[in-house]
Amino acid sequence: MPTHSAATKLAMIHIANGKVSTTISAATAAADAIAMLIFDTLTAIQRGSSRRVDVLFIFIRTNVKWVVNKLYYYLMNPLWTDWLQREGALFLDGRVSSFGNAHAEPQSVAGRIVMCDLSHEGLLLVSGEDAAAFLHGQLSNDVLALAEGDAQITSWCSPKGRMLVTPLLWKGRQGLFLQMPRSLQAAIQKRLQMFVLRSKVKLEDLSADWVKIGVGSTGTMAGNALEASIHAVFGAVPGRAMSSIHTALGRIIRVSPTRFEIVVSPDNAIEVWNKLTPHAVKVGAGVWDLLAIRDGIIQVLPATQDQFVPQAANFELIGGVNFKKGCYPGQEIVARTQYRGILKRRLVRVHSETNDYPKPGESVYAPEFGEQAAGHIANVAPAPEGGFDALVVAQIESIKADSLRLKNLEGAALRLQSLPYEVTFP
């Protein structure tokens, strides 16, 4: 039988039990375990032990993908991750869940400036002579119209016109950047690559090359202070939503009037974090989710892929779809939905007093539709006043009646909340 180091044995036990520590040492040990397993497999092949080969290959095939997915966050920028841990960050499912008190952090949103790590968001660079034309033929928005520094919300749809991913896209010095959940990135990149063919286009995963920090606020006074804080740290502020500027420390993207993303190199990340600290409260990713929900900007996740056409997610209202551009996957369905007036569902923001938080993809119900689901949860986050806020894509009839319920017809009420843009219901 092969021998392993004590660290390798411990890591293998953690892998087998489905447990992964958030420490760098445990991540390294687990990576060592994978390397040793591969080494053992090659050794077994050389010795002609077919039974051992079969067992090891099965183990590797069923576990390596899971291990890499779970540990990638901790391995991609060890210095940055270690810094966050020393700052008090707690990790859960590859995200910073909080800086010590997950229940209290949502309260910091009210009238405060907050900052959080966004390394759970993947970053895909699309470059090359044909990069803009390639993405223009794939995404729902007008990519060819982007100048350097411009940003936009967009979507990539299935042939049925339903959104597979809703990336934040911006044009930088290296090319076009697509930011999306890491849980989707590998599959999206692989699928996009299939359409490159002979185009002069290169797709690169740059998630490990950049650190992303979210800075945001709520309320007018906090918004004014937010701009002043960004200017104090970087010496400049993007003037409008969906625009960005490049500074000596990194790129600043203004996602909305009250949310900025800072994209910096790992070498500059700690310096930027320290400079922001006097101006902002450190929070986990859930607070950033809440700010996005209040902006009314959906993020498609694995549980909601291929469920919503862009208009059902209000994309024509937030500039996420262009009806004058040429063809792209699902374009015929999207156009038909727009011009024939056949839209039956819309995205709304809701609040519930219950602390029984739903998960993205869960069904919601309404008396108008009986036992049939009236819609689905898209995104959800704890609310400062208790309970949760969520973005829900639901039947317009149930929205007009304000009758949505969670889980079943007797479930917790989901009360409609305002959005920063106007939504009309026929």
Side-chain angles (χ1 to χ4, degrees), residues 133-141 156 322-332 335:
F134 170 71
L135 286 181
H136 189 77
Q138 296 294 327
L139 304 178
S140 63
N141 218 330
W156 193 35
N322 185 289
F323 296 105
K324 297 180 180 179
K325 60 173 288 184
C327 294
Y328 57 90
Q331 184 264 345
E332 182 179 349

Side-chain angles (χ1 to χ4, degrees), residues 20 44 49 89 173-174 235 244 251 258 263 329 332 397:
V20 179
S49 177
R173 295 181 174 183
Q174 296 172 270
S244 73
R251 183 167 293 276
T258 55
V263 184
E332 182 179 349
E397 184 179 348

Side-chain angles (χ1 to χ4, degrees), residues 47-381:
R47 293 176 179 174
S49 177
S50 59
R51 184 176 181 277
R52 188 191 302 175
V53 171
D54 291 341
V55 172
L56 289 172
F57 266 127
I58 291 171
F59 185 90
I60 292 170
R61 185 172 58 187
T62 56
N63 287 281
V64 167
K65 183 177 179 180
W66 177 85
V67 172
V68 170
N69 180 56
K70 286 291 186 183
L71 296 180
Y72 186 88
Y73 175 75
Y74 306 108
L75 293 174
M76 68 183 199
N77 278 316
L79 180 64
W80 174 242
T81 305
D82 184 59
W83 168 259
L84 289 175
Q85 289 179 323
R86 285 190 279 119
E87 286 284 285
L90 301 176
F91 295 95
L92 180 65
D93 295 331
R95 309 190 336 155
V96 175
S97 60
S98 71
F99 280 84
N101 193 335
H103 296 289
E105 280 188 357
Q107 299 173 7
S108 64
V109 173
R112 303 287 297 277
I113 299 173
V114 297
M115 66 178 186
C116 62
D117 172 64
L118 300 178
S119 296
H120 56 277
E121 294 286 329
L123 197 59
L124 180 63
L125 172 64
V126 183
S127 60
E129 184 178 329
D130 300 329
F134 170 71
L135 286 181
H136 189 77
Q138 296 294 327
L139 304 178
S140 63
N141 218 330
D142 188 352
V143 180
L144 293 178
L146 290 177
E148 183 176 333
D150 286 346
Q152 62 181 212
I153 295 292
T154 188
S155 64
W156 193 35
C157 298
S158 70
K160 296 180 180 180
R162 298 173 183 173
M163 299 187 297
L164 299 173
V165 66
T166 51
L168 172 65
L169 168 66
W170 71 87
K171 188 171 185 179
R173 295 181 174 183
Q174 296 172 270
L176 294 158
F177 290 85
L178 292 168
Q179 180 180 300
M180 65 191 75
R182 284 205 53 80
S183 54
L184 292 178
Q185 181 183 328
I188 293 297
Q189 182 175 346
K190 182 178 180 180
R191 183 165 176 164
L192 268 176
Q193 187 69 52
M194 294 169 56
F195 296 95
V196 171
L197 301 177
R198 296 183 180 180
S199 300
K200 296 179 181 178
V201 174
K202 184 178 181 181
L203 306 181
E204 297 177 81
D205 180 359
L206 294 190
S207 303
D209 292 39
W210 300 96
V211 170
K212 299 168 290 296
I213 301 171
V215 186
S217 67
T218 59
T220 303
M221 293 184 63
N224 293 336
L226 174 62
E227 285 198 2
S229 298
I230 295 293
H231 193 279
V233 173
F234 297 96
V237 181
R240 57 179 175 81
M242 290 300 157
S243 66
S244 73
I245 55 175
H246 184 81
T247 72
L249 289 174
R251 183 167 293 276
I252 310 169
I253 306 164
R254 190 164 198 161
V255 182
S256 74
T258 55
R259 282 196 301 147
F260 293 85
E261 286 197 20
I262 316 300
V263 184
V264 299
S265 69
D267 293 338
N268 290 335
I270 294 175
E271 178 185 355
V272 169
W273 187 268
N274 283 334
K275 287 185 174 182
L276 287 169
T277 298
H279 303 276
V281 179
K282 298 175 291 186
V283 296
V287 174
W288 186 256
D289 293 342
L290 178 65
L291 296 179
I293 287 170
R294 294 192 166 182
D295 278 342
I297 300 178
I298 193 175
Q299 185 176 58
V300 166
L301 300 170
T304 55
Q305 271 192 305
D306 209 11
Q307 287 197 24
F308 315 129
V309 296
Q311 293 96 323
N314 300 345
F315 259 44
E316 87 281 21
L317 304 179
I318 63 173
V321 59
N322 185 289
F323 296 105
K324 297 180 180 179
K325 60 173 288 184
C327 294
Y328 57 90
Q331 184 264 345
E332 182 179 349
I333 304 297
V334 175
R336 189 184 308 160
T337 301
Q338 184 71 14
Y339 296 118
R340 293 189 180 182
I342 57 176
L343 186 64
K344 296 182 179 180
R345 296 192 294 173
R346 273 291 191 186
L347 178 119
V348 291
R349 180 168 75 95
V350 300
H351 175 77
S352 179
E353 298 296 332
T354 181
N355 289 319
D356 182 15
Y357 301 155
K359 295 180 179 180
E362 283 192 20
S363 298
V364 299
Y365 296 84
E368 294 79 16
F369 293 88
E371 298 297 325
Q372 179 183 352
H376 294 88
I377 300 287
N379 303 114
V380 61

